[in-house]
Amino acid sequence: MTFRKLLAAPFIFWIIAGTVIPLGVIGFYGFTTRDRNFTFENITAIFTAEHAQALLLALLLAAISTLICFVLAFPLSLILRSSGLGQKGFMVFIFILPMWMNFLLRTMAWQVILEKGGLINAIITSMGFEPLELINTSGAIVLGMVYDFLPFMVLPIYNTLMKIDDNIIEAAYDLGATHKRVIWNILLPLSIPGIASGVTMVFVPALTTFVISNMLGGGKINLIGNIIEQEFTTSANWNLGSGLSLIMMIFIVGSMMLLSKLDKEGEGNFI
Amino acid sequence: MKKLIKGFYLFLIILFLYLPIFTLMVFSFNGSKSMSVWTGFSTMWYKEMATDPMIVEAIWNTFTIAVAAGVIATVVGTLACIGISVMSKRSESLIMGFNNIPLLNADIVTGIALMMSFLVFGITLSWGTVLLSHVTFCLPYVILSVMPKFKQLTITNYEAALDLGATPLYAFWKVVLPELRPGIISGFLLAFTMSVDDFVVTHFTRGAGINTISTLIYSQAKVGIRPTLFALSTVIFVMVLVVLGVSNFISQRSEDEE
Amino acid sequence: MRKKKVLLAGVALAMAFLSMVMLSGCGHDKNALYIYNFGDYIDPDLIEEFTKETGIKVVYSTFDTNEELYPVIRNRTASYDVICASDYMLEKMLEEKMLTEMDYDQIPNSEFLMPEFSANIEKFDKGAKHVVPHTWGTMGIMYNTEKIPEGSVKSWNDLWNEKYSGSIVMPDSMRDTMAVALKAKGYSLNTTKKKELAAATKYLIKQKPMVYKYANDAARDLLVGNSADIGVIWSGEYIYCQELNPSLRFVIPEEGSEQFIDGWAIPKEAENKKAAYKWINFMLSKKAALKNFDYLYYTIPNKQVKIGIDEKFSNDRVIFPLADDLKSNEALRYLGPDGDKLYTDYWKEFKSE
């Protein structure tokens, strides 16, 4: 039956051409100078003040966004779970629908709303208050991250919650557990695979984004993603950009490893 | 009381999710460029959108790339699942490990890695490079949707068909494929959505004059957002609503019938 | 045996399909004209008119800053036949031998060019052999007289006035942003003295909390839409802004300003130079130049424009300045790889603060 394996050939070819070689190219650029000499400089560049600051800020904002997403998503998933089967399809549909809108359009929407001459400030000033500084702040970036990535947190948590056997919960109530205890001691621990998956799916794109910080940060806030993007689009220093990408990948691999530890069965997979 | 709080919470989240989209929709019918003051109903931005060659071309590129990437990824991915399913456990987990890389990697790394590879190998960036890149990040979604269906496959049916004299291809077509169909369809839909939604990879791998909806919005946001984009987002929202609504309805009904 | 053949055929087909896709990836239409220009920098109708006139298909792309253009041409991430860039970037490209020497016989309309505006180009490109001017302009401050008393803004340092905190728009382009701070401090905008650059960077960092947004082309919409009250814009934007919001005023600060000339050039590796010449010649034609002026309101250094437009524009000293107006202005120059690195480092320091 070896020829059946051949059917995987185009795919393996694609993995090599589209994933393995490109990663090799990043590695090559990351460890060489412009004159193709070996160097660690592009890697150690992360310790210079401007790069370290951008990385730390990105980690901080990504962590805050992930936390907010979780705090919003967990109760939401609980409510969706208990809201009964009849509504199920429809309610889930409501929550994933915005996810299908173009991500740039959704971010642009916030830019339009938060602008000083935008909708929210128009309402505030018409009530006689001073306009607020909403856009071009770290807060606006966190808001954009939460808005764009919230569905990625809701779906895996909801999926794992739905898999929990109702009998377990009823048994707990029968044994005299309070509502609070059921959530803390049963639902939360059992949904850890989903939470882990949600956390990765929010944290990684939030850590690496340059679009949200560009559109909602007004050029005032530089995250590590912005630095890398600028190395490729304006500074034309591919070597440094590749080196910094390799550093960023350490954090991605780290959160992936954490995920695979917490979600061994791939339960939290939202597909 | 509890129900009220729950309902209120749901309402707040829904408001948060939909308010920005509806704001865009409302202002797409505004009679002026203003984004905060209502100056009267007008469909001028829709007319302008429909006649703006940049927007029309961006829509065309977005959907042709998404369909092509979806089809290629689905075909290659499904074939691969057949191949992988007869491999040893070890090579299977190795391949699946590689499969997960573009899925979990940051878009920006995938994008720059592909861009540099194209240029290192002397391939000028163009529409084709965008397509190749999209297939690359769509493939894992197809594999992850189709593979579980393979695991559930009742292989005896296929063997029975062979015993009854069917050729492997015929047996595959008539026996195996119908069982895989839901996985293949959802794989294609996922690939299609990921491709339509992508900005970062396209941003780095697009060639001269190639714009998708995403890259067009990004460059417009730098020059100054025009309400034609609001009109565009309204059209996209309605389209998504119809497509998702219909497919949701159909799958619900087929479930009920079962 | 048969099934083996069928499967092998299937694999072969899939591979053939893949390589076909790969080949289509290399598609570059040899007969089309590939143009790379700043965003919103010609009347978009002109592309269609050019195609109608010459039968040449146009592939048109845009970028945001000069710094974005450079790596694309340098690394050939895409192949362009004609580009538009600013003086200092063209100087850099010329120095690195990236530009074609123009064959002026193929650009008969070049007789309409106004030599007084080409002075910037002459400084680095004797006889403007590689660059044909597109637009000319200066950087200045635009402010809203509803919030800021008319006539009170005179200096670049007014952009550091705490009264305007939260309503200031600054450019987001390395050399231009640095130029504002350098001019405010009274230095040359081409300085490579570390002390001066460090002072300018410090000054920019001090201003950062007061700035509403760093934006280039989008600055005009923020000023028009009352999202910001004072900001740096280019001379060409000011008529457009005033038409939409009459309370806006434009001033060129007393310390002198940055003046630029943006021009067309043909990269060495251009594949369709013939069409590129046709495009440049078309841009210099009376019809196209006038249309561009009506769309952009930037100075088009073209004799036919000065005669052809409304007197209120041709007598406007911002658009067609007198020699005296330009005395204290400076143009950006290419500062060599070391100068570039110096600016990049200080720019990053400011950006990440």
Side-chain angles (χ1 to χ4, degrees), chain C residues 177-209:
Chain C
T177 315
M178 292 294 269
V180 172
L182 287 167
K183 276 285 168 193
K185 285 269 169 197
Y187 304 134
S188 159
L189 45 77
N190 287 315
T191 185
T192 47
K193 290 192 188 109
K194 276 193 176 161
K195 220 177 99 191
E196 295 180 358
L197 282 169
T201 308
K202 219 174 135 197
Y203 204 38
L204 283 175
I205 291 171
K206 186 182 152 209
Q207 184 200 27
K208 206 170 182 182

Side-chain angles (χ1 to χ4, degrees), chain B residues 33 53-54 72 76 79 115 119 123-129 131-132 167-169 206-210 219 221-225, chain C residues 2-3 6 14 17-18 21-22 24-27 34 39-40 59-61 64 68 75-80 217-218 220-221 240:
Chain B
K33 253 190 98 171
M54 292 271 274
I72 297 174
V76 174
L79 286 178
M115 176 194 80
L119 297 174
I123 301 169
T124 312
L125 300 182
S126 65
W127 188 89
T129 51
L131 176 63
L132 290 177
T167 62
L169 203 63
R206 75 204 169 106
I210 309 292
S219 56
K222 286 196 166 174
V223 181
I225 296 167
Chain C
R2 229 188 104 227
K3 47 187 182 179
V6 169
F17 185 60
L18 281 182
V21 174
M22 293 294 257
S24 79
C26 313
Y34 285 73
D40 218 10
V59 180
Y60 187 76
S61 312
D64 191 37
E68 241 166 82
N75 301 324
R76 302 238 311 136
T77 49
S79 172
Y80 289 100
D217 293 322
R220 56 182 185 199
D221 286 342
Y240 166 89

